[in-house]
Amino acid sequence: MHSEYTTIYTRTPRSLLFAIVANVGPGGTNRPLAVAYRQHHDAYNSHTSYPRVRHMVADTLSLIDILSDPANRAPLEAERALAKDWYRRSSGDELPTHERPSVPDTEQPPYMPMDKSREPVQQLPPLPWREDGVSQFPFSATCVLQALQRDDASTEATRPGDIQFQPLSTVFRADCLEYGLIVLDISDLDHVKYGIIAFPTCYMAEVPCEDENMDWDPVEDDQPEQVDVVLASPRPRVPLSIGQWVRKYCLWLSLDEAPRILELEERPLADAATLDYIWPPELDHHPQSSSDMVASSASSVTIAEEPLQTVPAGTTGTGRPRSA
């Protein structure tokens, strides 16, 4: 018998950074009108990631619906015009990439054996409110709040303290275990586009192997003494549709059993240019080896092969962003 350092499980990011962008920067480049961080709460340290995926899909669909709503078109067009002028006037004041802020990482849930996977986990504390991400373009920020704090009786309901607006200069560095990025392009309000950049975390440990044909069994075999959480590599700087993302990172999920995923897959995909400001090309470091990965001592969890569940659709209001 020999031991092998290998991936035991993978999980999708727990939280997300949402960036609403448009071609309002110098020369028609993309710049954000709102950047918001939304944290997700796992009810248990369970062996599944599907509540996280379901939450991501529901949030993205809700944002697209609100940003595409004809009732919101005039104020969004007005803010795009204001943003174009604001970015033109402030172009000389933009910080260099290495000085721009980013959302810090969060410690991942501790390891628990499979027989304790239904034990409740400690909830993340509320995030402090920040004004600096709201003041420039308040209607766009209100759209984000309406979309992410919808009242749909979902088990993944987002609390007011789970959303924190970030400065418009925030960058996504693709080096954190906790969160991924969802970018929404509102350059054309008739065709709001989205893209997913969310890399899984790999739970790795030194485990015994009887031979090359016998994998470690999480139930029958001894538990590993230490499990490391390692960010997946490589991390390509390419926005994916939900279908592309699921086929790449969630092979356990059957698309035929996930109608909300199929609904999101029908929406237009953002192109790579939407990432130029929120994830600048100079930060695309493409780590290739384990020495380049982000790792921390943490726990092992597995992904259950469970389908996503549908989330009730929202209703349309008038005169303000629609709740989805």
Side-chain angles (χ1 to χ4, degrees):
M1 180 180 293
H2 67 283
S3 62
E4 180 181 13
Y5 187 70
T6 186
T7 298
I8 305 174
Y9 309 115
T10 62
R11 291 202 85 181
T12 61
R14 178 168 52 179
S15 303
L16 291 167
L17 186 69
F18 290 91
I20 313 301
V21 306
N23 56 347
V24 295
T29 55
N30 281 283
R31 291 292 187 274
L33 280 77
V35 180
Y37 179 75
R38 188 272 290 153
Q39 61 185 15
H40 170 88
H41 295 279
D42 294 319
Y44 306 97
N45 194 9
S46 62
H47 297 174
T48 176
S49 278
Y50 96 93
R52 298 181 179 186
V53 179
R54 180 174 62 186
H55 199 178
M56 177 183 74
V57 171
D59 280 354
T60 306
L61 278 170
S62 180
L63 275 163
I64 294 173
D65 287 345
I66 285 179
L67 295 168
S68 303
D69 190 340
N72 301 326
R73 187 182 188 98
L76 284 173
E77 287 180 339
E79 280 203 338
R80 281 192 320 196
L82 290 172
K84 188 173 184 178
D85 181 65
W86 185 78
Y87 278 111
R88 178 186 59 79
R89 289 185 288 105
S90 59
S91 60
D93 300 326
E94 288 188 350
L95 294 172
T97 299
H98 69 277
E99 294 182 12
R100 289 168 56 191
S102 59
V103 179
D105 208 353
T106 302
E107 184 178 355
Q108 299 302 289
Y111 170 75
M112 288 187 183
M114 292 186 68
D115 60 354
K116 296 183 179 180
S117 63
R118 295 296 293 176
E119 293 185 3
V121 296
Q122 183 176 359
Q123 297 298 296
L124 296 170
L127 299 166
W129 181 259
R130 297 182 60 159
E131 294 287 351
D132 52 354
V134 182
S135 57
Q136 291 298 332
F137 311 113
F139 190 82
S140 298
T142 303
C143 287
V144 173
L145 285 176
Q146 288 284 320
L148 300 185
Q149 292 186 337
R150 62 197 177 278
D151 183 14
D152 59 10
S154 169
T155 56
E156 290 82 48
T158 301
R159 308 170 307 180
D162 291 335
I163 298 172
Q164 185 185 66
F165 284 96
Q166 304 297 316
L168 297 178
S169 58
T170 297
V171 292
F172 176 73
R173 300 183 184 276
D175 61 357
C176 288
L177 299 166
E178 174 67 23
Y179 64 93
L181 170 69
I182 305 292
V183 61
L184 295 110
D185 184 1
I186 61 169
S187 300
D188 180 358
L189 291 172
D190 290 324
H191 301 90
V192 174
K193 301 176 181 179
Y194 79 99
I196 301 171
I197 303 93
F199 305 109
T201 51
C202 303
Y203 291 74
M204 304 186 69
E206 193 85 20
V207 295
C209 299
E210 293 187 8
D211 58 58
E212 61 182 14
N213 298 318
M214 293 288 291
D215 292 332
W216 175 77
D217 189 307
V219 176
E220 299 293 336
D221 294 336
D222 293 337
Q223 297 295 315
E225 295 182 1
Q226 177 179 326
V227 179
D228 299 322
V229 183
V230 180
L231 193 58
S233 178
R235 300 188 286 278
R237 190 176 161 276
V238 178
L240 300 179
S241 72
I242 185 62
Q244 292 170 333
W245 184 80
V246 165
R247 285 188 288 269
K248 186 175 182 67
Y249 297 121
C250 302
L251 297 178
W252 48 272
L253 178 59
S254 171
L255 295 181
D256 293 336
E257 298 176 350
R260 293 287 277 176
I261 282 185
L262 296 177
E263 181 182 352
L264 182 55
E265 180 66 7
E266 295 176 355
R267 308 302 175 95
L269 175 63
D271 58 45
T274 59
L275 301 178
D276 286 349
Y277 188 77
I278 188 72
W279 185 8
E282 56 266 35
L283 296 181
D284 183 17
H285 43 76
H286 277 297
Q288 296 292 334
S289 65
S290 59
S291 62
D292 293 321
M293 295 179 181
V294 177
S296 66
S297 294
S299 65
S300 166
V301 284
T302 188
I303 296 177
E305 297 188 7
E306 300 182 64
L308 299 188
Q309 299 176 4
T310 58
V311 179
T315 57
T316 302
T318 57
R320 65 184 191 129
R322 187 182 70 174
S323 297

CSV table of all heavy atoms in Angstrom, one decimal, residues 157-209:
chain,number,residue,atom,x,y,z
A,157,ALA,N,-32.3,32.4,0.7
A,157,ALA,CA,-32.6,33.9,0.7
A,157,ALA,C,-31.4,34.7,1.3
A,157,ALA,O,-30.8,34.3,2.2
A,157,ALA,CB,-33.8,34.0,1.7
A,158,THR,N,-31.2,35.8,0.6
A,158,THR,CA,-30.1,36.7,0.9
A,158,THR,C,-30.5,37.7,1.9
A,158,THR,O,-31.5,38.4,1.7
A,158,THR,CB,-29.6,37.4,-0.3
A,158,THR,OG1,-29.1,36.4,-1.3
A,158,THR,CG2,-28.4,38.3,0.0
A,159,ARG,N,-29.8,37.8,3.0
A,159,ARG,CA,-30.2,38.8,4.1
A,159,ARG,C,-29.6,40.2,3.7
A,159,ARG,O,-28.7,40.3,2.9
A,159,ARG,CB,-29.5,38.4,5.4
A,159,ARG,CG,-29.9,37.0,5.9
A,159,ARG,CD,-29.0,36.6,7.1
A,159,ARG,NE,-27.6,36.8,6.8
A,159,ARG,CZ,-26.6,36.5,7.7
A,159,ARG,NH1,-26.9,36.0,8.9
A,159,ARG,NH2,-25.4,36.7,7.4
A,160,PRO,N,-30.1,41.3,4.2
A,160,PRO,CA,-29.6,42.6,3.9
A,160,PRO,C,-28.1,42.7,4.2
A,160,PRO,O,-27.3,43.3,3.4
A,160,PRO,CB,-30.4,43.5,4.8
A,160,PRO,CG,-31.7,42.8,5.0
A,160,PRO,CD,-31.4,41.4,5.0
A,161,GLY,N,-27.6,42.0,5.2
A,161,GLY,CA,-26.2,42.0,5.6
A,161,GLY,C,-25.3,41.1,4.8
A,161,GLY,O,-24.1,41.1,5.0
A,162,ASP,N,-25.9,40.4,3.8
A,162,ASP,CA,-25.1,39.6,2.9
A,162,ASP,C,-24.6,40.3,1.7
A,162,ASP,O,-23.9,39.7,0.9
A,162,ASP,CB,-26.0,38.3,2.5
A,162,ASP,CG,-26.2,37.4,3.7
A,162,ASP,OD1,-25.4,37.4,4.6
A,162,ASP,OD2,-27.3,36.7,3.6
A,163,ILE,N,-25.0,41.5,1.5
A,163,ILE,CA,-24.6,42.3,0.3
A,163,ILE,C,-23.8,43.5,0.7
A,163,ILE,O,-24.2,44.2,1.6
A,163,ILE,CB,-25.9,42.7,-0.5
A,163,ILE,CG1,-26.7,41.5,-1.0
A,163,ILE,CG2,-25.4,43.6,-1.7
A,163,ILE,CD1,-28.0,41.9,-1.6
A,164,GLN,N,-22.7,43.6,0.0
A,164,GLN,CA,-21.8,44.8,0.3
A,164,GLN,C,-21.4,45.4,-1.0
A,164,GLN,O,-20.7,44.7,-1.8
A,164,GLN,CB,-20.6,44.4,1.1
A,164,GLN,CG,-19.7,45.5,1.5
A,164,GLN,CD,-18.5,45.1,2.3
A,164,GLN,OE1,-17.6,44.4,1.7
A,164,GLN,NE2,-18.4,45.4,3.6
A,165,PHE,N,-21.7,46.6,-1.3
A,165,PHE,CA,-21.3,47.3,-2.5
A,165,PHE,C,-19.8,47.6,-2.3
A,165,PHE,O,-19.3,47.9,-1.3
A,165,PHE,CB,-22.1,48.6,-2.7
A,165,PHE,CG,-23.4,48.3,-3.3
A,165,PHE,CD1,-24.5,48.2,-2.5
A,165,PHE,CD2,-23.6,48.0,-4.7
A,165,PHE,CE1,-25.8,47.9,-3.0
A,165,PHE,CE2,-24.9,47.8,-5.2
A,165,PHE,CZ,-26.0,47.7,-4.3
A,166,GLN,N,-19.1,47.5,-3.5
A,166,GLN,CA,-17.7,47.7,-3.5
A,166,GLN,C,-17.4,49.0,-4.3
A,166,GLN,O,-18.2,49.4,-5.2
A,166,GLN,CB,-17.0,46.5,-4.1
A,166,GLN,CG,-17.3,45.2,-3.4
A,166,GLN,CD,-16.8,45.2,-2.0
A,166,GLN,OE1,-15.7,45.6,-1.7
A,166,GLN,NE2,-17.6,44.7,-1.1
A,167,PRO,N,-16.2,49.6,-4.1
A,167,PRO,CA,-15.8,50.7,-5.0
A,167,PRO,C,-15.8,50.3,-6.5
A,167,PRO,O,-15.6,49.1,-6.8
A,167,PRO,CB,-14.4,51.0,-4.5
A,167,PRO,CG,-14.3,50.5,-3.1
A,167,PRO,CD,-15.2,49.3,-3.1
A,168,LEU,N,-16.1,51.2,-7.3
A,168,LEU,CA,-16.2,50.9,-8.8
A,168,LEU,C,-14.8,50.6,-9.3
A,168,LEU,O,-14.7,50.0,-10.4
A,168,LEU,CB,-16.7,52.1,-9.5
A,168,LEU,CG,-18.2,52.5,-9.2
A,168,LEU,CD1,-18.6,53.8,-10.0
A,168,LEU,CD2,-19.1,51.4,-9.5
A,169,SER,N,-13.8,50.9,-8.6
A,169,SER,CA,-12.4,50.5,-9.0
A,169,SER,C,-12.0,49.1,-8.6
A,169,SER,O,-10.8,48.7,-8.8
A,169,SER,CB,-11.4,51.5,-8.5
A,169,SER,OG,-11.5,51.6,-7.0
A,170,THR,N,-12.9,48.4,-8.0
A,170,THR,CA,-12.6,47.0,-7.5
A,170,THR,C,-12.1,46.1,-8.6
A,170,THR,O,-12.6,46.2,-9.7
A,170,THR,CB,-13.8,46.4,-6.8
A,170,THR,OG1,-14.1,47.2,-5.6
A,170,THR,CG2,-13.5,45.0,-6.3
A,171,VAL,N,-11.1,45.3,-8.3
A,171,VAL,CA,-10.6,44.3,-9.3
A,171,VAL,C,-10.9,42.9,-8.8
A,171,VAL,O,-10.9,42.6,-7.5
A,171,VAL,CB,-9.1,44.4,-9.6
A,171,VAL,CG1,-8.9,45.7,-10.3
A,171,VAL,CG2,-8.3,44.3,-8.3
A,172,PHE,N,-11.1,42.0,-9.7
A,172,PHE,CA,-11.2,40.5,-9.4
A,172,PHE,C,-9.9,39.9,-9.8
A,172,PHE,O,-9.4,40.1,-10.9
A,172,PHE,CB,-12.3,39.9,-10.2
A,172,PHE,CG,-12.4,38.4,-10.1
A,172,PHE,CD1,-13.0,37.9,-9.0
A,172,PHE,CD2,-12.1,37.6,-11.1
A,172,PHE,CE1,-13.1,36.5,-8.8
A,172,PHE,CE2,-12.2,36.2,-11.0
A,172,PHE,CZ,-12.7,35.7,-9.9
A,173,ARG,N,-9.2,39.3,-8.8
A,173,ARG,CA,-7.8,38.8,-9.0
A,173,ARG,C,-7.8,37.3,-9.2
A,173,ARG,O,-6.7,36.7,-9.5
A,173,ARG,CB,-7.0,39.2,-7.8
A,173,ARG,CG,-6.9,40.7,-7.6
A,173,ARG,CD,-5.9,41.1,-6.5
A,173,ARG,NE,-6.0,42.5,-6.2
A,173,ARG,CZ,-5.2,43.4,-6.9
A,173,ARG,NH1,-4.4,43.0,-7.9
A,173,ARG,NH2,-5.3,44.7,-6.6
A,174,ALA,N,-8.9,36.6,-9.1
A,174,ALA,CA,-9.0,35.2,-9.4
A,174,ALA,C,-8.0,34.4,-8.5
A,174,ALA,O,-7.4,33.4,-8.9
A,174,ALA,CB,-8.7,34.9,-10.9
A,175,ASP,N,-7.8,34.8,-7.3
A,175,ASP,CA,-6.9,34.2,-6.4
A,175,ASP,C,-7.5,33.9,-5.0
A,175,ASP,O,-6.8,33.5,-4.1
A,175,ASP,CB,-5.6,35.0,-6.2
A,175,ASP,CG,-5.9,36.4,-5.6
A,175,ASP,OD1,-7.1,36.7,-5.3
A,175,ASP,OD2,-4.9,37.1,-5.3
A,176,CYS,N,-8.9,33.9,-4.9
A,176,CYS,CA,-9.6,33.7,-3.7
A,176,CYS,C,-10.4,32.4,-3.7
A,176,CYS,O,-11.0,32.1,-4.8
A,176,CYS,CB,-10.5,34.9,-3.3
A,176,CYS,SG,-9.6,36.4,-2.8
A,177,LEU,N,-10.4,31.7,-2.6
A,177,LEU,CA,-11.2,30.5,-2.5
A,177,LEU,C,-12.7,30.8,-2.4
A,177,LEU,O,-13.5,30.0,-2.8
A,177,LEU,CB,-10.8,29.7,-1.3
A,177,LEU,CG,-9.3,29.2,-1.3
A,177,LEU,CD1,-8.9,28.7,0.0
A,177,LEU,CD2,-9.1,28.1,-2.4
A,178,GLU,N,-13.1,31.9,-1.8
A,178,GLU,CA,-14.4,32.1,-1.3
A,178,GLU,C,-15.4,32.5,-2.5
A,178,GLU,O,-16.5,32.0,-2.5
A,178,GLU,CB,-14.4,33.3,-0.3
A,178,GLU,CG,-15.8,33.7,0.1
A,178,GLU,CD,-16.6,32.7,0.9
A,178,GLU,OE1,-16.0,31.8,1.5
A,178,GLU,OE2,-17.8,32.8,0.9
A,179,TYR,N,-14.9,33.3,-3.4
A,179,TYR,CA,-15.9,33.8,-4.4
A,179,TYR,C,-15.4,33.8,-5.8
A,179,TYR,O,-14.2,33.8,-6.1
A,179,TYR,CB,-16.3,35.3,-4.0
A,179,TYR,CG,-15.1,36.3,-4.1
A,179,TYR,CD1,-14.9,37.0,-5.2
A,179,TYR,CD2,-14.2,36.5,-3.0
A,179,TYR,CE1,-13.9,37.9,-5.3
A,179,TYR,CE2,-13.2,37.4,-3.0
A,179,TYR,CZ,-13.0,38.1,-4.2
A,179,TYR,OH,-12.0,39.0,-4.3
A,180,GLY,N,-16.4,33.8,-6.7
A,180,GLY,CA,-16.2,33.9,-8.1
A,180,GLY,C,-16.8,35.3,-8.6
A,180,GLY,O,-17.2,36.1,-7.8
A,181,LEU,N,-16.9,35.4,-9.9
A,181,LEU,CA,-17.3,36.7,-10.5
A,181,LEU,C,-18.4,36.4,-11.5
A,181,LEU,O,-18.4,35.5,-12.3
A,181,LEU,CB,-16.2,37.3,-11.2
A,181,LEU,CG,-16.5,38.6,-12.1
A,181,LEU,CD1,-16.9,39.8,-11.3
A,181,LEU,CD2,-15.2,38.9,-13.0
A,182,ILE,N,-19.5,37.2,-11.4
A,182,ILE,CA,-20.5,37.3,-12.5
A,182,ILE,C,-20.5,38.7,-13.1
A,182,ILE,O,-20.7,39.6,-12.3
A,182,ILE,CB,-21.9,37.0,-11.9
A,182,ILE,CG1,-21.9,35.6,-11.1
A,182,ILE,CG2,-23.0,37.0,-13.0
A,182,ILE,CD1,-21.8,34.4,-12.0
A,183,VAL,N,-20.3,38.8,-14.4
A,183,VAL,CA,-20.3,40.1,-15.0
A,183,VAL,C,-21.6,40.2,-15.9
A,183,VAL,O,-22.0,39.2,-16.5
A,183,VAL,CB,-19.0,40.2,-15.9
A,183,VAL,CG1,-18.9,39.2,-17.0
A,183,VAL,CG2,-19.0,41.6,-16.5
A,184,LEU,N,-22.2,41.3,-15.8
A,184,LEU,CA,-23.4,41.6,-16.6
A,184,LEU,C,-23.2,42.9,-17.4
A,184,LEU,O,-22.9,43.9,-16.9
A,184,LEU,CB,-24.7,41.7,-15.7
A,184,LEU,CG,-25.0,40.4,-15.0
A,184,LEU,CD1,-24.7,40.6,-13.5
A,184,LEU,CD2,-26.5,40.0,-15.2
A,185,ASP,N,-23.4,42.7,-18.7
A,185,ASP,CA,-23.1,43.8,-19.7
A,185,ASP,C,-24.4,44.4,-20.1
A,185,ASP,O,-25.2,43.8,-20.7
A,185,ASP,CB,-22.3,43.3,-20.9
A,185,ASP,CG,-21.9,44.4,-21.9
A,185,ASP,OD1,-22.2,45.6,-21.6
A,185,ASP,OD2,-21.3,44.0,-22.9
A,186,ILE,N,-24.6,45.7,-19.7
A,186,ILE,CA,-25.8,46.4,-20.1
A,186,ILE,C,-25.6,47.5,-21.2
A,186,ILE,O,-26.3,48.5,-21.3
A,186,ILE,CB,-26.5,47.1,-18.9
A,186,ILE,CG1,-25.6,48.1,-18.2
A,186,ILE,CG2,-26.9,46.0,-17.9
A,186,ILE,CD1,-26.3,49.0,-17.1
A,187,SER,N,-24.6,47.3,-22.0
A,187,SER,CA,-24.3,48.2,-23.1
A,187,SER,C,-25.5,48.2,-24.1
A,187,SER,O,-25.8,49.2,-24.7
A,187,SER,CB,-23.1,47.7,-23.9
A,187,SER,OG,-21.9,47.8,-23.1
A,188,ASP,N,-26.2,47.1,-24.2
A,188,ASP,CA,-27.4,47.0,-25.0
A,188,ASP,C,-28.5,46.4,-24.1
A,188,ASP,O,-28.5,45.2,-23.8
A,188,ASP,CB,-27.2,46.1,-26.2
A,188,ASP,CG,-28.4,45.9,-27.1
A,188,ASP,OD1,-29.5,46.5,-26.8
A,188,ASP,OD2,-28.3,45.2,-28.1
A,189,LEU,N,-29.4,47.3,-23.7
A,189,LEU,CA,-30.5,46.9,-22.8
A,189,LEU,C,-31.5,45.9,-23.4
A,189,LEU,O,-32.3,45.3,-22.7
A,189,LEU,CB,-31.2,48.1,-22.2
A,189,LEU,CG,-30.3,48.9,-21.2
A,189,LEU,CD1,-31.0,50.2,-20.9
A,189,LEU,CD2,-30.0,48.1,-20.0
A,190,ASP,N,-31.5,45.8,-24.7
A,190,ASP,CA,-32.3,44.8,-25.4
A,190,ASP,C,-31.7,43.4,-25.3
A,190,ASP,O,-32.4,42.4,-25.5
A,190,ASP,CB,-32.6,45.2,-26.9
A,190,ASP,CG,-33.4,46.4,-27.0
A,190,ASP,OD1,-34.4,46.6,-26.2
A,190,ASP,OD2,-33.2,47.2,-27.9
A,191,HIS,N,-30.4,43.4,-25.1
A,191,HIS,CA,-29.7,42.1,-25.0
A,191,HIS,C,-28.7,42.1,-23.9
A,191,HIS,O,-27.5,42.3,-24.1
A,191,HIS,CB,-29.1,41.7,-26.3
A,191,HIS,CG,-30.0,41.7,-27.5
A,191,HIS,ND1,-30.3,42.7,-28.3
A,191,HIS,CD2,-30.7,40.6,-28.0
A,191,HIS,CE1,-31.1,42.4,-29.2
A,191,HIS,NE2,-31.4,41.1,-29.1
A,192,VAL,N,-29.2,42.1,-22.6
A,192,VAL,CA,-28.3,42.1,-21.5
A,192,VAL,C,-27.5,40.8,-21.5
A,192,VAL,O,-28.1,39.7,-21.5
A,192,VAL,CB,-29.1,42.3,-20.2
A,192,VAL,CG1,-28.1,42.1,-19.0
A,192,VAL,CG2,-29.7,43.7,-20.2
A,193,LYS,N,-26.2,40.9,-21.4
A,193,LYS,CA,-25.3,39.7,-21.5
A,193,LYS,C,-24.7,39.4,-20.1
A,193,LYS,O,-24.6,40.3,-19.3
A,193,LYS,CB,-24.2,39.9,-22.5
A,193,LYS,CG,-24.7,40.2,-23.9
A,193,LYS,CD,-23.6,40.5,-24.9
A,193,LYS,CE,-24.0,40.8,-26.3
A,193,LYS,NZ,-22.9,41.1,-27.2
A,194,TYR,N,-24.4,38.1,-19.9
A,194,TYR,CA,-23.8,37.7,-18.7
A,194,TYR,C,-22.6,36.8,-18.9
A,194,TYR,O,-22.5,36.2,-20.0
A,194,TYR,CB,-24.8,37.0,-17.8
A,194,TYR,CG,-25.0,35.6,-18.2
A,194,TYR,CD1,-24.4,34.5,-17.5
A,194,TYR,CD2,-25.8,35.2,-19.3
A,194,TYR,CE1,-24.6,33.2,-17.9
A,194,TYR,CE2,-26.0,33.9,-19.7
A,194,TYR,CZ,-25.4,32.9,-19.0
A,194,TYR,OH,-25.5,31.6,-19.4
A,195,GLY,N,-21.7,36.7,-18.0
A,195,GLY,CA,-20.6,35.7,-18.1
A,195,GLY,C,-20.2,35.3,-16.7
A,195,GLY,O,-20.3,36.0,-15.7
A,196,ILE,N,-19.9,34.0,-16.5
A,196,ILE,CA,-19.5,33.4,-15.3
A,196,ILE,C,-18.0,33.1,-15.2
A,196,ILE,O,-17.5,32.5,-16.1
A,196,ILE,CB,-20.3,32.1,-15.0
A,196,ILE,CG1,-21.8,32.3,-15.1
A,196,ILE,CG2,-19.9,31.4,-13.7
A,196,ILE,CD1,-22.6,31.1,-15.1
A,197,ILE,N,-17.4,33.6,-14.2
A,197,ILE,CA,-16.0,33.3,-13.9
A,197,ILE,C,-15.9,32.8,-12.5
A,197,ILE,O,-15.8,33.6,-11.5
A,197,ILE,CB,-15.0,34.5,-14.1
A,197,ILE,CG1,-15.2,35.0,-15.5
A,197,ILE,CG2,-13.6,34.1,-13.9
A,197,ILE,CD1,-16.2,36.1,-15.7
A,198,ALA,N,-16.0,31.5,-12.3
A,198,ALA,CA,-16.1,30.9,-10.9
A,198,ALA,C,-15.4,29.6,-10.9
A,198,ALA,O,-15.9,28.6,-11.4
A,198,ALA,CB,-17.6,30.7,-10.5
A,199,PHE,N,-14.2,29.6,-10.3
A,199,PHE,CA,-13.4,28.4,-10.3
A,199,PHE,C,-13.6,27.6,-9.0
A,199,PHE,O,-13.6,28.2,-7.9
A,199,PHE,CB,-11.9,28.9,-10.4
A,199,PHE,CG,-11.6,29.7,-11.6
A,199,PHE,CD1,-11.3,31.1,-11.4
A,199,PHE,CD2,-11.7,29.2,-12.9
A,199,PHE,CE1,-11.1,31.9,-12.5
A,199,PHE,CE2,-11.5,30.0,-14.0
A,199,PHE,CZ,-11.2,31.4,-13.8
A,200,PRO,N,-13.7,26.3,-9.2
A,200,PRO,CA,-13.9,25.5,-8.0
A,200,PRO,C,-12.7,25.4,-7.1
A,200,PRO,O,-11.5,25.6,-7.5
A,200,PRO,CB,-14.2,24.1,-8.6
A,200,PRO,CG,-13.5,24.1,-9.9
A,200,PRO,CD,-13.6,25.5,-10.4
A,201,THR,N,-12.9,25.0,-5.9
A,201,THR,CA,-11.8,24.7,-4.9
A,201,THR,C,-11.7,23.2,-4.9
A,201,THR,O,-12.7,22.4,-4.8
A,201,THR,CB,-12.1,25.2,-3.5
A,201,THR,OG1,-13.4,24.8,-3.1
A,201,THR,CG2,-12.1,26.7,-3.5
A,202,CYS,N,-10.5,22.7,-4.9
A,202,CYS,CA,-10.1,21.3,-4.8
A,202,CYS,C,-9.7,20.9,-3.4
A,202,CYS,O,-8.8,21.6,-2.8
A,202,CYS,CB,-9.0,20.9,-5.8
A,202,CYS,SG,-9.4,21.4,-7.5
A,203,TYR,N,-10.3,19.9,-2.8
A,203,TYR,CA,-10.0,19.5,-1.5
A,203,TYR,C,-9.0,18.3,-1.6
A,203,TYR,O,-9.4,17.3,-2.1
A,203,TYR,CB,-11.3,19.1,-0.7
A,203,TYR,CG,-12.1,20.3,-0.4
A,203,TYR,CD1,-12.9,20.9,-1.4
A,203,TYR,CD2,-12.2,20.8,0.8
A,203,TYR,CE1,-13.6,22.0,-1.2
A,203,TYR,CE2,-13.0,21.9,1.1
A,203,TYR,CZ,-13.7,22.6,0.1
A,203,TYR,OH,-14.4,23.7,0.4
A,204,MET,N,-7.8,18.6,-1.2
A,204,MET,CA,-6.7,17.6,-1.4
A,204,MET,C,-6.1,17.1,-0.1
A,204,MET,O,-6.0,17.8,0.9
A,204,MET,CB,-5.6,18.3,-2.3
A,204,MET,CG,-6.2,18.9,-3.6
A,204,MET,SD,-4.9,19.6,-4.7
A,204,MET,CE,-4.1,18.0,-5.2
A,205,ALA,N,-5.7,15.9,-0.2
A,205,ALA,CA,-5.1,15.3,1.0
A,205,ALA,C,-4.2,14.1,0.6
A,205,ALA,O,-4.3,13.6,-0.5
A,205,ALA,CB,-6.2,14.8,2.0
A,206,GLU,N,-3.3,13.7,1.5
A,206,GLU,CA,-2.5,12.5,1.4
A,206,GLU,C,-3.4,11.3,1.9
A,206,GLU,O,-3.8,11.3,3.1
A,206,GLU,CB,-1.3,12.6,2.2
A,206,GLU,CG,-0.2,11.6,1.9
A,206,GLU,CD,0.7,12.0,0.8
A,206,GLU,OE1,0.7,13.2,0.4
A,206,GLU,OE2,1.3,11.1,0.2
A,207,VAL,N,-3.7,10.4,1.0
A,207,VAL,CA,-4.6,9.3,1.3
A,207,VAL,C,-3.9,8.0,0.9
A,207,VAL,O,-3.2,7.9,0.0
A,207,VAL,CB,-6.0,9.4,0.7
A,207,VAL,CG1,-6.7,10.7,1.2
A,207,VAL,CG2,-5.8,9.5,-0.9
A,208,PRO,N,-4.2,6.9,1.7
A,208,PRO,CA,-3.7,5.6,1.3
A,208,PRO,C,-4.3,5.0,0.1
A,208,PRO,O,-5.5,5.2,-0.1
A,208,PRO,CB,-4.0,4.7,2.5
A,208,PRO,CG,-5.2,5.4,3.1
A,208,PRO,CD,-5.1,6.8,2.9
A,209,CYS,N,-3.6,4.3,-0.8
A,209,CYS,CA,-4.1,3.7,-1.9
A,209,CYS,C,-3.5,2.3,-2.0
A,209,CYS,O,-2.3,2.1,-1.9
A,209,CYS,CB,-3.7,4.4,-3.2
A,209,CYS,SG,-4.3,6.1,-3.3
